[in-house]
């Protein structure tokens, strides 16, 4: 009989990556580090001849301390030089040139990065490739969106005797921290817009999914001016808060927990100077109405709740099903969940893969035990079986107020299901939720759906009809209400979030017109210019 440990590779049957990083990017140089290191182990485990699982060492990263963090901060402050640095004063076209050179370097790293995503965070090969390709596309789209913004700003406005030119300017030194579930995509969809708008960036790689950032830091070193991006390592609690306390950070951009974000914001001594661009917690509900098309709904709910083992901020993290269809729903949904293929990231068509957080399996078990003690059951046959870093998805029903699974964001392969007789029950759930990212409504009655849309657009930032919650397409705004987000990200919106509209204006008289004409004609300024990017 196959056991879960059979899914893991045998010792010596594979070739894991090995990235031992003994330097970090500081002011355009890779600075040697001979202090402490953090050892990195793969999400994937190896099994010996007795089937016993053990960790696979895949590399190490520096644990730099506060002194190094402050040095990194000074470097990016120097590069920004209160707005008079080379980087913030470049023209948009010049900054685009740097980013294009970076893309060329990044493309050379595709197979290395995909491999590291698979080993370090356990993402399937297909999804790892998708993450890389989506990020490249995002950067190209960002360049196109910025060209468009710049073209629209390449003119003057004359009103009430005042001549003005309005463009977007950078905000300053930016602290950028990404999440472990999309360690490439979600960090680079912050980093690139921040940079291309002229900000300088202090970059802290996520807790898991760190190794791929070493190769990328070398690509940054090769392509960007010195100090435009510096890398900070070490324990977040020890280095990040003190960085904020200096008051030198103008933008905090983070995809992670609302608790961390609010502590960091509070640490800043001049909160009005700080702009926060945040993607935070979510507990997106699905609401399955009595008249929903069950087969389509179940396919969307399985993908929505369990893609990448449920480790997406946009995942469906609780499902409300109308009482008249709950039995049918549970039967069909559980069967589909049990059909999901578990295995290693490189296995063909794999859907359930090892989890990267060592403490996660315990937490998931705690959630399930708590629900079972309070009267719920695991509905699917394979649900909750676990070995090493694998946890087979558990469908838990009925989940109710008072259970951890009702309110906590499990961020893993558990699907809590509740039932309702009156639509006010899921609506009340959303009203009282701390989160307000998205919702999915499944049904076929246009009038009922329209009513829900009109109310729910005021509770969350995206209402999905007969489809799972998701971030993409990347041109759609990605944000949330309450503790789920601050500011908006999309290809276009991120460029706005990381910049501020700024005006250069003068009274319309002969002398001023002559000055402006000379500046524009002789191309003295990168801001005051009618240059058109083709
Ligand atoms: O973890 C949150 C991500 O932004 C989700 O993105 O919906 O494309 O998986 P996705």
């Amino acid at each position: 009989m196959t056991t879960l440990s059979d899914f893991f590779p045998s010792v010596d049957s594979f070739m894991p990556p090995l990235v031992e990083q003994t330097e970090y990017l500081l002011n355009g140089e890779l600075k040697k580090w001979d202090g402490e290191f953090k050892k990195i182990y793969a999400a994937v485990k190896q099994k010996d001849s007795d089937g016993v699982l053990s960790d696979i060492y895949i590399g190490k990263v520096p644990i730099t301390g506060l002194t190094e963090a402050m040095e990194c901060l000074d470097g990016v402050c120097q590069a920004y030089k209160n707005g008079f640095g080379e980087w913030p004063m470049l023209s948009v076209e010049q900054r685009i040139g740097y980013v294009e050179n970076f893309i060329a370097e990044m493309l050379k790293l595709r197979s290395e990065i995909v491999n590291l995503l698979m080993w370090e965070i356990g993402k399937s090969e297909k999804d790892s490739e998708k993450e890389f390709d989506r990020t490249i596309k995002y950067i190209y789209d960002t360049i196109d969106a910025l060209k468009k913004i710049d073209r629209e700003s390449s003119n003057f406005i004359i009103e009430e005797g005042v001549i003005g030119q309005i463009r977007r300017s950078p905000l300053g030194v930016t602290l950028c921290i990404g999440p472990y579930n999309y360690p490439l995509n979600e960090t680079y969809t912050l980093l690139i817009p921040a940079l291309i708008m002229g900000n300088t960036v202090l970059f802290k790689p996520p807790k898991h999914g760190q190794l791929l950032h070493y190769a990328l830091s070398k690509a940054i070193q090769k392509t960007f001016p010195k100090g435009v991006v510096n890398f900070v390592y070490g324990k977040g609690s020890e280095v990040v808060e003190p960085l904020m306390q200096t008051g030198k950070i103008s933008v905090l951009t983070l995809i992670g927990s609302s608790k961390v974000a609010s502590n960091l914001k509070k640490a800043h001594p001049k909160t009005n100077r700080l702009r926060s661009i945040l993607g935070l917690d979510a507990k997106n509900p699905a609401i399955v109405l009595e008249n929903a098309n069950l087969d389509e709904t179940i396919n969307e709910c399985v993908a929505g709740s369990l893609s990448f083992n449920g480790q997406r901020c946009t995942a469906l993290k609780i499902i409300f099903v109308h009482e008249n269809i709950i039995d049918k729903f549970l039967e069909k949904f559980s069967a589909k969940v049990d059909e999901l293929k578990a295995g290693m990231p490189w296995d063909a068509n794999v859907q359930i893969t090892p989890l990267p957080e060592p403490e996660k399996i315990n937490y998931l078990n705690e959630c399930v035990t708590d629900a079972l003690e309070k009267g719920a059951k695991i509905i699917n046959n394979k649900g909750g079986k676990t070995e090493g870093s694998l946890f087979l998805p558990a469908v838990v029903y009925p989940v109710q107020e008072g259970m951890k699974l009702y309110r906590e964001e499990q961020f893993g392969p558990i699907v809590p299901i509740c039932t309702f007789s009156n639509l006010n029950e899921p609506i009340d759930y959303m009203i009282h939720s701390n989160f307000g990212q998205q919702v999915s409504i499944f049904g076929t009655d246009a009038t009922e759906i329209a009513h829900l849309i009109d109310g729910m657009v005021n509770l969350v930032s995206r209402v999905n009809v007969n489809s799972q919650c998701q971030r993409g397409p990347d041109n759609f705004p990605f944000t949330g209400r309450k503790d789920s987000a601050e500011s908006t990200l999309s290809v276009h919106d991120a460029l706005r979030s990381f910049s501020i509209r700024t005006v250069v204006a003068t009274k319309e008289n002969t002398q001023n017109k002559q000055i402006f004409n000379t500046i524009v004609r002789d191309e003295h300024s990168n801001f005051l210019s009618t240059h058109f990017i083709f």
Side-chain angles (χ1 to χ4, degrees), residues 190 250-256 258 261-262 265-266 271 274-281 436-437 461 478-490 493-494 497-498:
L190 304 175
S250 301
V251 184
L252 170 65
T253 186
L254 155 87
I255 307 246
S258 58
S262 63
K265 282 170 69 175
K266 280 184 219 145
T271 40
L274 181 70
R275 178 171 297 185
S276 301
I277 300 157
L278 310 169
L280 305 171
D281 318 322
Q437 191 195 62
S461 294
F478 177 53
T479 183
R481 297 167 185 266
K482 302 183 192 167
D483 278 343
S484 285
E486 204 173 317
S487 298
T488 303
L489 294 169
S490 74
D493 288 307
S497 296
F498 286 104

Coordinates of all heavy atoms in Angstrom, one line a residue, residues 190 250-256 258 261-262 265-266 271 274-281 436-437 461 478-490 493-494 497-498:
L190 N 6.5 44.8 -6.6 CA 6.7 46.0 -5.8 C 8.0 46.7 -6.2 O 8.0 47.9 -6.4 CB 6.7 45.6 -4.3 CG 5.6 44.8 -3.7 CD1 5.8 44.4 -2.3 CD2 4.3 45.6 -3.8
S250 N 10.6 56.5 3.4 CA 9.4 57.3 3.0 C 8.3 56.4 2.5 O 7.1 56.8 2.5 CB 9.8 58.2 1.8 OG 10.8 59.1 2.2
V251 N 8.6 55.2 2.1 CA 7.6 54.2 1.6 C 7.8 52.9 2.3 O 9.0 52.3 2.2 CB 7.6 54.1 0.1 CG1 6.5 53.2 -0.4 CG2 7.6 55.4 -0.6
L252 N 6.8 52.3 2.8 CA 6.8 50.9 3.3 C 6.0 50.1 2.4 O 4.8 50.4 2.2 CB 6.3 50.9 4.7 CG 6.1 49.4 5.3 CD1 7.4 48.7 5.4 CD2 5.3 49.4 6.6
T253 N 6.6 49.2 1.7 CA 5.8 48.3 0.9 C 6.1 46.9 1.3 O 7.2 46.4 1.3 CB 6.0 48.6 -0.6 OG1 5.1 47.8 -1.4 CG2 7.4 48.3 -1.1
L254 N 5.0 46.2 1.5 CA 5.1 44.9 2.2 C 3.9 44.0 1.8 O 2.7 44.5 1.7 CB 5.1 45.1 3.7 CG 4.6 44.1 4.6 CD1 5.8 43.2 5.0 CD2 4.1 44.7 5.9
I255 N 4.2 42.8 1.4 CA 3.1 41.8 1.3 C 3.3 40.8 2.4 O 4.3 40.2 2.5 CB 3.1 41.1 -0.1 CG1 3.1 42.1 -1.2 CG2 1.9 40.1 -0.2 CD1 2.0 42.3 -2.1
G256 N 2.4 40.8 3.4 CA 2.6 40.0 4.5 C 1.4 40.2 5.5 O 0.3 40.4 5.1
S258 N -0.9 41.8 8.6 CA -1.3 43.1 9.0 C -0.7 43.5 10.3 O -0.4 44.7 10.6 CB -2.8 43.2 9.1 OG -3.3 42.3 10.0
A261 N 2.8 44.8 9.6 CA 2.7 46.1 8.9 C 2.3 47.1 9.9 O 2.9 48.2 9.9 CB 1.6 46.0 7.8
S262 N 1.4 46.9 10.8 CA 1.0 48.0 11.7 C 2.1 48.3 12.7 O 2.3 49.4 13.1 CB -0.4 47.8 12.3 OG -0.4 46.7 13.1
K265 N 4.6 50.4 10.8 CA 4.1 51.8 10.6 C 4.2 52.6 11.9 O 4.6 53.8 11.9 CB 2.6 51.8 10.2 CG 2.5 51.4 8.7 CD 1.1 51.2 8.3 CE 0.2 52.4 8.3 NZ -1.1 52.1 7.8
K266 N 3.8 51.9 13.0 CA 3.9 52.6 14.3 C 5.3 53.0 14.7 O 5.5 53.9 15.5 CB 3.3 51.8 15.4 CG 1.7 51.8 15.4 CD 1.2 51.0 16.6 CE -0.1 50.2 16.1 NZ -0.2 49.0 16.8
T271 N 4.7 59.7 11.1 CA 3.8 58.8 10.3 C 3.2 59.5 9.0 O 2.9 58.9 8.0 CB 2.6 58.3 11.2 OG1 2.2 59.3 12.0 CG2 3.0 57.1 12.0
L274 N 5.1 58.9 5.9 CA 5.2 57.6 5.4 C 4.1 57.2 4.5 O 2.9 57.3 4.9 CB 5.2 56.6 6.6 CG 5.4 55.1 6.3 CD1 6.8 54.8 5.7 CD2 5.1 54.2 7.5
R275 N 4.4 56.7 3.3 CA 3.3 56.1 2.5 C 3.4 54.6 2.6 O 4.5 54.0 2.5 CB 3.4 56.5 1.0 CG 2.3 55.8 0.2 CD 2.2 56.3 -1.2 NE 1.8 57.7 -1.3 CZ 1.6 58.3 -2.5 NH1 1.6 57.5 -3.6 NH2 1.3 59.5 -2.6
S276 N 2.3 53.9 2.8 CA 2.3 52.5 2.9 C 1.6 51.8 1.7 O 0.4 52.2 1.4 CB 1.6 52.0 4.2 OG 2.3 52.6 5.3
I277 N 2.2 50.9 1.1 CA 1.6 50.1 0.0 C 1.6 48.7 0.4 O 2.7 48.0 0.4 CB 2.4 50.4 -1.3 CG1 2.4 51.9 -1.6 CG2 1.8 49.6 -2.5 CD1 3.5 52.4 -2.4
L278 N 0.5 48.2 0.8 CA 0.5 46.9 1.6 C -0.5 45.9 1.0 O -1.6 46.3 0.7 CB 0.1 47.2 3.0 CG 0.9 48.3 3.8 CD1 0.2 48.6 5.1 CD2 2.3 47.9 4.0
G279 N -0.1 44.7 1.0 CA -1.0 43.6 0.6 C -1.0 42.7 1.9 O 0.0 42.2 2.2
L280 N -2.2 42.5 2.6 CA -2.1 41.9 3.9 C -3.0 40.7 4.0 O -3.2 40.0 3.0 CB -2.5 43.0 4.9 CG -1.6 44.2 4.9 CD1 -2.2 45.3 5.8 CD2 -0.2 43.9 5.2
D281 N -3.6 40.4 5.2 CA -4.3 39.2 5.4 C -5.7 39.2 4.7 O -6.2 40.3 4.3 CB -4.7 39.1 6.9 CG -3.5 39.5 7.8 OD1 -2.4 39.2 7.5 OD2 -3.7 40.1 8.8
G436 N -11.2 42.4 4.1 CA -12.1 42.8 3.0 C -11.5 42.8 1.7 O -11.5 43.8 1.0
Q437 N -10.9 41.6 1.3 CA -10.2 41.6 0.0 C -11.2 41.3 -1.1 O -11.5 42.1 -1.9 CB -9.0 40.6 0.1 CG -8.1 40.7 -1.1 CD -7.2 39.5 -1.2 OE1 -7.7 38.4 -1.4 NE2 -5.9 39.7 -1.1
S461 N -13.0 44.5 -2.2 CA -12.5 45.2 -3.4 C -12.7 44.5 -4.7 O -12.3 45.0 -5.7 CB -11.1 45.6 -3.2 OG -11.0 46.5 -2.1
F478 N -5.6 45.5 -7.6 CA -5.5 44.5 -6.6 C -5.3 45.2 -5.3 O -4.3 45.9 -5.0 CB -4.2 43.6 -6.9 CG -3.9 42.6 -5.8 CD1 -4.9 41.7 -5.4 CD2 -2.7 42.5 -5.2 CE1 -4.7 40.7 -4.4 CE2 -2.4 41.6 -4.2 CZ -3.4 40.7 -3.8
T479 N -6.4 45.2 -4.5 CA -6.3 45.9 -3.2 C -7.4 45.2 -2.2 O -7.8 44.1 -2.5 CB -6.6 47.4 -3.4 OG1 -6.5 48.1 -2.2 CG2 -8.0 47.7 -4.0
G480 N -7.7 45.9 -1.2 CA -8.6 45.4 -0.2 C -9.0 46.4 0.8 O -8.4 47.5 0.8
R481 N -10.1 46.1 1.5 CA -10.5 47.0 2.6 C -10.1 46.5 4.0 O -9.5 45.4 4.0 CB -12.0 47.1 2.6 CG -12.6 47.7 1.3 CD -14.1 47.5 1.2 NE -14.6 48.0 -0.1 CZ -15.1 49.2 -0.3 NH1 -15.1 50.1 0.7 NH2 -15.6 49.5 -1.5
K482 N -10.4 47.2 5.0 CA -10.1 46.8 6.4 C -8.6 46.4 6.5 O -7.7 47.1 6.0 CB -11.0 45.7 6.8 CG -12.5 46.1 6.8 CD -13.3 44.9 7.3 CE -14.8 45.1 7.0 NZ -15.5 43.9 7.3
D483 N -8.4 45.2 7.2 CA -7.0 44.8 7.4 C -6.4 44.1 6.2 O -5.4 43.4 6.3 CB -6.9 43.9 8.6 CG -6.9 44.7 9.9 OD1 -6.6 45.9 9.8 OD2 -7.2 44.1 11.0
S484 N -7.0 44.2 5.0 CA -6.5 43.4 3.9 C -5.5 44.1 3.0 O -4.7 43.5 2.3 CB -7.6 42.9 3.0 OG -8.3 41.8 3.7
A485 N -5.5 45.4 3.0 CA -4.6 46.1 2.1 C -4.6 47.6 2.3 O -5.5 48.2 3.0 CB -4.9 45.9 0.6
E486 N -3.6 48.3 1.8 CA -3.5 49.7 1.8 C -2.9 50.1 0.4 O -1.9 49.5 0.0 CB -2.6 50.2 2.9 CG -3.0 51.6 3.3 CD -2.2 52.1 4.6 OE1 -2.1 51.3 5.5 OE2 -1.7 53.2 4.6
S487 N -3.5 51.1 -0.3 CA -3.1 51.5 -1.6 C -3.5 50.4 -2.6 O -3.9 49.3 -2.2 CB -1.6 51.7 -1.8 OG -1.2 52.8 -1.0
T488 N -3.3 50.7 -3.9 CA -3.7 49.7 -4.9 C -2.6 49.3 -5.8 O -1.7 50.2 -6.2 CB -4.8 50.4 -5.8 OG1 -5.9 50.8 -4.9 CG2 -5.4 49.5 -6.8
L489 N -2.6 48.0 -6.1 CA -1.5 47.6 -7.1 C -2.2 47.0 -8.3 O -3.3 46.4 -8.2 CB -0.7 46.4 -6.4 CG 0.1 46.8 -5.2 CD1 0.7 45.6 -4.5 CD2 1.3 47.7 -5.6
S490 N -1.6 47.3 -9.4 CA -1.9 46.8 -10.7 C -0.8 47.3 -11.5 O 0.0 48.1 -11.0 CB -3.3 47.2 -11.3 OG -3.1 48.6 -11.8
D493 N -1.7 51.0 -11.6 CA -1.9 51.6 -10.2 C -0.6 51.6 -9.4 O -0.4 52.5 -8.6 CB -3.0 50.9 -9.4 CG -4.3 51.1 -10.0 OD1 -4.7 52.3 -10.2 OD2 -5.0 50.2 -10.3
A494 N 0.3 50.6 -9.6 CA 1.5 50.5 -8.8 C 2.4 51.7 -9.1 O 3.0 52.3 -8.2 CB 2.2 49.2 -9.1
S497 N 1.0 54.4 -7.2 CA 1.2 54.3 -5.7 C 2.6 54.7 -5.3 O 2.8 55.2 -4.2 CB 0.9 52.8 -5.3 OG -0.4 52.5 -5.5
F498 N 3.6 54.3 -6.2 CA 5.0 54.6 -5.8 C 5.5 56.0 -6.3 O 6.7 56.2 -6.4 CB 5.9 53.5 -6.4 CG 5.8 52.2 -5.6 CD1 5.1 51.2 -6.2 CD2 6.4 52.1 -4.4 CE1 5.0 50.0 -5.5 CE2 6.3 50.9 -3.7 CZ 5.6 49.8 -4.2

